[in-house]
Amino acid sequence: MPALTASDTIRILISTDNHVGYNERDATRGGDAARTFHEIMCMAKERDVDMVLLAGDLFHDNNPSRQSMYAVMRSLRMNCYGEKPCELEMLSDPSECFHGHFNYVNYEDPDINVAIPVFSIHGNHDDPSGAGHLAALDVLQMSGLLNYYGRTPESDNILIKPVLLQKGLTKLALYGMSNVRDERLFRTFRDGKVKFFQPSTQKGDWFNIMSVHQNHHAHTATSYLPENFLPDFLDLVVWGHEHECLIDPRYNPEMNFHVMQPGSSVATSLMPGEAVPKHVAILSVTGRDFKVETIRLKTVRPFVIREIVLSEDKTAKKWAKMENHRTKLSAHLVSIVEEMIEEAKAEWLETQEDTEQDEEEKIIPLPVIRLRVEYSAPDGGIFDVENPQRFSNRFNEKVANTTDVVQFYRKKANAGRKAQNDIDMPDESVLAPLANDSVKVGELVHEFLTAQSLTILPQNSFGDAVSQYVDKDDKHAMEMFVNESLANQIKYLINMDQRDEDDDIHNAMDQYKSKLEQLFEAGHLKRARKARLKPKPDNWDTDIDGEWGEQPGALMRSDLEDGEDDDAASLTSTVTAAKGRGKAAPKKAITVAKKSTAAAAAAAKTTRGRKKVVAEESDEEEEGNEVVMVDDDDEDEESPLFVKPAAPARGGRKPAASKATPAPKRATARTAATQSKLNFSQPASQPSGRGKGKAAQGVSNDEISDDDDAFAAVPPTARSTRKR
């Protein structure tokens, strides 16, 4: 093999977790993430790299604002387009790596001139969602600014095919696996359903690099990706999602590859891992050899965090047994914060030494300061600390985070007398590392729920719903989770054979909850579906009234959620009747006794001389012939599908029941059961109680699926032909 030269070297700028759009509404810190991302892209152009590799979480939200999207597109267009030809040659089939209408690499598009291509996977913040299962990266790829690879359309059957690139004699196999929920991915790897593809020829000549975006450390038994799950033919793994900067490659002797963790380019939480200086790396690959050049970012806002224990502090510990020492203690803590501010300024000036600006022109940004104070006092003493909000406001216009400069916590509180309605809380020693400066929301929820005794809601699904609410900004995640959990629990109890004794009900509820937790842990239970929103009104102004999806009235609720107390009471009678017929009530079917009474009253007004007959019919209808309303998700709320009881025909047909010959109640109940059956195979305009043949089969629980996709759309002609 001939000797390799500089023309055979592929230079790659590596970054991850840029989180553009983080805290963008903050007047001071709103533009930090976009500013640092622009610095990274300008660095790629100045250093003349061949490509840029991003390992997920380019955006902080999977539905980024127009401001965030504009900032990213501006930086990419300013630094990635140009007259310089891209020297990378695409060797693999691009249609297997890229999806969409333009399923090829952007620098081979004849209509645009891309000098520096950008390759990126999605993370847990900017993952696909909504109609079409599209991500924000799909928009960037469609505009020709970025190459979105490493998709995982099936989380339980993952096929990873590399993007094969070549420059001179150096061959690069670029693998990527976008974010998958850690528990599900762990199970998929364990079951052997993750398959890696390698080039069919010259396998020993390829430099294999892979990007992942998963938990790197074991927060629970299955909520991370072990390094030994990855194949050993890899040479370098770029690990996203973890924000602590450990950018120097670390060798794994078991798997014989190196692991690089670039960390985030902006601090999104007030924790020690975020205070580490932020870096990016330029990876130079020549043949099978590589070297890494680390570069410190200069636009990152300075961040200093410190932790003190008052009982060990030489100055503060003598105040524990003194009275009225709050002023002295606050003054002592203020002096510590002032020292941290000066330290942050000096640190920022140190990073700006290589810049060409004069000392007077360098504007030092307001630093982020975090002082964690453990104020557990020795026996017989107490530390009288100030309100943290009031203390933080002392540093207005001195720090960037004027609301959370200080955090007071205790290691462990004495177990005192607890009220009957108090919530069981985990020890403060457990909560201290998981305070509001941590991004691991699921871990915090897990520790909190472990101390509780939940009866209906599954614990792990609860934590996942909270994570959706916090991380994905899904306003209706909790509401959808609670409603679906209650509905499923009710349906399970309805289908039980024995539910007379309270012990049986409680045992059944506990067993069902445990079963749901096991299914969710194994990855078989689907996450609660996205909230369905009503159409936005024509006169709705988003700039004035806010986002329509965030309004409480925008959520399309089922009838079970909107039912009143009277409806809930009639639900019990319907369940009893359904059990007598050998069939349980459908999930979204409720009885409305008021409508039955109103129909009988209306008939009484229009019928002369037969008031007594109508009254007797109304009494029989209340016992077994209720009106059943079925909510079809594909129908509008104003046009639900009704199954009405038999009524006298307009042609002058007299009622079947009379005072002289009353119908038996058993027969009435049987008639009601027939009239309440639905037939989806017939036109909606056809009466449902026409006969008892095969065309009038009832709808059972086996025929109705919980998923909305199981229902076929109602033909549009059915609504127009139905008479109300």
Side-chain angles (χ1 to χ4, degrees):
M1 184 176 180
L4 300 177
T5 61
S7 61
D8 301 319
T9 301
I10 301 178
R11 304 180 73 246
I12 308 170
L13 189 145
I14 299 178
S15 176
T16 183
D17 292 274
N18 307 109
H19 286 276
V20 178
Y22 168 73
N23 207 12
E24 63 181 347
R25 295 185 179 181
D26 187 275
T28 305
R29 304 166 62 189
D32 288 358
R35 187 182 304 109
T36 304
F37 177 74
H38 184 65
E39 178 193 0
I40 295 172
M41 299 311 301
C42 291
M43 187 185 304
K45 184 176 182 180
E46 294 172 0
R47 298 299 183 102
D48 194 23
V49 299
D50 294 303
M51 57 178 284
V52 177
L53 179 61
L54 305 177
D57 279 354
L58 172 59
F59 294 98
H60 186 69
D61 191 0
N62 61 359
N63 185 21
S65 65
R66 285 172 288 186
Q67 179 181 357
S68 299
M69 182 63 73
Y70 174 83
V72 170
M73 297 180 73
R74 177 179 67 91
S75 297
L76 292 175
R77 184 168 180 177
M78 288 177 59
N79 298 284
C80 296
Y81 285 179
E83 298 180 355
K84 187 194 77 160
C86 181
E87 300 181 17
L88 298 176
E89 180 183 0
M90 185 78 175
L91 300 182
S92 59
D93 185 2
S95 62
E96 295 183 355
C97 306
F98 308 105
H99 301 274
H101 184 73
F102 300 98
N103 55 353
Y104 48 83
V105 71
N106 63 345
Y107 62 85
E108 292 185 352
D109 193 325
D111 298 324
I112 56 178
N113 193 3
V114 177
I116 304 176
V118 179
F119 294 85
S120 177
I121 61 176
H122 76 249
N124 60 312
H125 280 264
D126 54 2
D127 58 336
S129 63
H133 201 63
L134 298 175
L137 298 183
D138 285 294
V139 179
L140 297 178
Q141 175 168 299
M142 190 57 59
S143 61
L145 295 170
L146 180 142
N147 300 291
Y148 176 24
Y149 78 111
R151 303 168 190 250
T152 52
E154 299 180 50
S155 56
D156 55 354
N157 185 25
I158 301 177
L159 304 178
I160 301 178
K161 298 182 179 180
V163 178
L164 302 181
L165 304 172
Q166 182 174 358
K167 178 184 177 182
L169 299 178
T170 299
K171 298 179 175 62
L172 179 67
L174 185 61
Y175 293 84
M177 183 177 63
S178 295
N179 178 263
V180 181
R181 188 166 58 86
D182 291 287
E183 292 82 3
R184 181 179 290 272
L185 183 63
F186 190 96
R187 179 182 62 86
T188 306
F189 267 102
R190 183 190 59 195
D191 296 343
K193 294 185 178 180
V194 180
K195 186 176 181 180
F196 288 81
F197 291 81
Q198 289 184 265
S200 57
T201 59
Q202 299 178 340
K203 292 183 179 180
D205 296 341
W206 295 88
F207 184 85
N208 303 287
I209 180 173
M210 182 173 183
S211 301
V212 298
H213 194 96
Q214 304 292 150
N215 282 338
H216 202 178
H217 307 289
H219 300 285
T220 63
T222 60
S223 63
Y224 76 111
L225 175 62
E227 293 183 2
N228 56 10
F229 277 10
L230 300 177
D232 56 0
F233 65 80
L234 297 175
D235 297 297
L236 178 65
V237 178
V238 178
W239 210 289
H241 184 63
E242 299 290 349
H243 283 206
E244 184 178 3
C245 183
L246 302 174
I247 200 163
D248 294 324
R250 176 183 54 82
Y251 179 67
N252 185 333
E254 177 186 359
M255 304 306 299
N256 196 28
F257 56 63
H258 289 78
V259 179
M260 174 192 294
Q261 183 176 302
S264 64
S265 59
V266 62
T268 60
S269 61
L270 303 179
M271 57 188 307
E274 295 277 18
V276 178
K278 306 293 185 181
H279 291 79
V280 295
I282 294 181
L283 174 70
S284 300
V285 181
T286 306
R288 294 296 305 276
D289 300 326
F290 74 94
K291 64 179 181 179
V292 176
E293 177 188 0
T294 61
I295 305 172
R296 183 169 181 176
L297 298 174
K298 298 180 180 180
T299 58
V300 178
R301 186 177 298 274
F303 175 28
V304 176
I305 186 172
R306 189 181 298 179
E307 182 173 0
I308 64 171
V309 180
L310 293 182
S311 60
E312 300 176 359
D313 188 84
K314 296 181 180 180
T315 305
K317 65 180 181 180
K318 60 184 179 181
W319 296 330
K321 297 183 180 181
M322 296 176 55
E323 296 182 357
N324 301 326
H325 63 269
R326 173 182 293 187
T327 303
K328 296 181 180 179
L329 180 59
S330 297
H332 177 61
L333 297 179
V334 166
S335 63
I336 295 177
V337 174
E338 294 289 352
E339 293 177 3
M340 297 171 64
I341 294 176
E342 295 300 324
E343 178 184 348
K345 292 181 179 179
E347 178 183 343
W348 189 86
L349 290 174
E350 182 182 354
T351 61
Q352 309 298 317
E353 291 180 354
D354 297 336
T355 58
E356 298 179 355
Q357 295 180 350
D358 297 334
E359 292 293 336
E360 298 179 355
E361 296 179 356
K362 295 179 180 179
I363 301 177
I364 303 176
L366 297 178
V368 177
I369 303 298
R370 183 64 155 184
L371 177 62
R372 303 182 74 242
V373 180
E374 195 275 300
Y375 67 105
S376 300
D379 295 339
I382 185 174
F383 287 112
D384 188 9
V385 297
E386 189 177 355
N387 179 274
Q389 182 78 26
R390 188 181 301 112
F391 180 87
S392 301
N393 289 337
R394 294 170 179 260
F395 305 96
N396 191 22
E397 297 183 357
K398 292 184 178 181
V399 299
N401 56 321
T402 57
T403 60
D404 49 8
V405 173
V406 67
Q407 178 195 7
F408 297 108
Y409 73 97
R410 291 180 179 176
K411 282 189 176 180
K412 190 173 183 179
N414 294 328
R417 188 174 182 180
K418 186 175 61 176
Q420 183 177 0
N421 295 329
D422 282 352
I423 299 176
D424 294 330
M425 297 289 293
D427 294 337
E428 294 208 17
S429 60
V430 177
L431 288 178
L434 303 176
N436 58 354
D437 57 354
S438 175
V439 295
K440 307 300 181 185
V441 179
E443 187 176 354
L444 176 61
V445 174
H446 172 74
E447 294 294 344
F448 178 78
L449 294 180
T450 302
Q452 312 304 316
S453 178
L454 299 181
T455 306
I456 299 176
L457 303 178
Q459 176 176 314
N460 45 16
S461 301
F462 194 111
D464 183 71
V466 175
S467 300
Q468 291 293 314
Y469 178 82
V470 176
D471 296 337
K472 305 299 178 56
D473 199 22
D474 188 351
K475 304 297 183 183
H476 309 291
M478 294 300 301
E479 184 176 2
M480 294 292 295
F481 163 70
V482 173
N483 290 337
E484 290 193 7
S485 298
L486 294 178
N488 291 335
Q489 187 70 262
I490 291 174
K491 181 178 178 181
Y492 176 76
L493 294 177
I494 288 175
N495 293 333
M496 287 177 54
D497 294 333
Q498 297 178 356
R499 60 180 192 279
D500 297 333
E501 300 181 1
D502 293 340
D503 294 340
D504 293 339
I505 294 179
H506 289 299
N507 293 335
M509 293 171 65
D510 187 65
Q511 293 177 3
Y512 184 68
K513 181 180 73 72
S514 301
K515 180 180 179 181
L516 292 180
E517 291 177 348
Q518 294 175 2
L519 291 176
F520 187 87
E521 185 71 22
H524 297 294
L525 188 64
K526 293 183 178 180
R527 180 177 292 169
R529 60 178 181 269
K530 266 290 196 186
R532 300 178 67 247
L533 303 180
K534 299 176 183 177
K536 184 170 68 174
D538 296 335
N539 58 349
W540 186 269
D541 192 340
T542 304
D543 296 333
I544 299 177
D545 303 325
E547 293 292 337
W548 169 248
E550 298 179 1
Q551 307 302 317
L555 180 62
M556 187 176 294
R557 295 176 171 84
S558 64
D559 295 328
L560 183 60
E561 299 170 50
D562 293 337
E564 300 293 339
D565 295 339
D566 296 337
D567 300 340
S570 62
L571 177 62
T572 306
S573 61
T574 306
V575 170
T576 306
K579 184 180 179 183
R581 294 193 298 270
K583 296 180 180 179
K587 178 181 179 181
K588 293 186 178 180
I590 65 172
T591 61
V592 188
K594 292 182 178 180
K595 290 186 177 291
S596 176
T597 307
K605 291 182 180 180
T606 57
T607 308
R608 297 180 180 179
R610 294 183 294 193
K611 295 183 178 180
K612 295 182 179 180
V613 176
V614 173
E616 290 182 5
E617 290 180 350
S618 178
D619 293 338
E620 293 176 357
E621 290 174 356
E622 290 179 1
E623 294 180 3
N625 193 18
E626 297 99 340
V627 180
V628 178
M629 181 176 68
V630 180
D631 179 19
D632 192 329
D633 291 337
D634 293 332
E635 288 282 355
D636 295 334
E637 290 187 353
E638 299 178 356
S639 303
L641 183 62
F642 289 92
V643 180
K644 299 183 178 180
R650 295 185 179 180
R653 293 178 60 187
K654 296 182 179 181
S658 64
K659 186 174 183 180
T661 58
K665 293 184 178 181
R666 186 179 300 274
T668 304
R670 187 181 300 110
T671 304
T674 304
Q675 292 171 347
S676 299
K677 294 178 180 178
L678 302 178
N679 180 17
F680 289 92
S681 62
Q682 295 179 353
S685 59
Q686 184 175 351
S688 61
R690 179 168 293 183
K692 296 184 178 181
K694 295 182 178 180
Q697 295 179 354
V699 180
S700 65
N701 287 335
D702 296 336
E703 298 171 343
I704 297 181
S705 173
D706 291 339
D707 295 333
D708 295 340
D709 297 339
F711 287 92
V714 179
T717 57
R719 187 183 303 174
S720 60
T721 57
R722 182 181 301 149
K723 296 182 179 180
R724 305 179 181 179

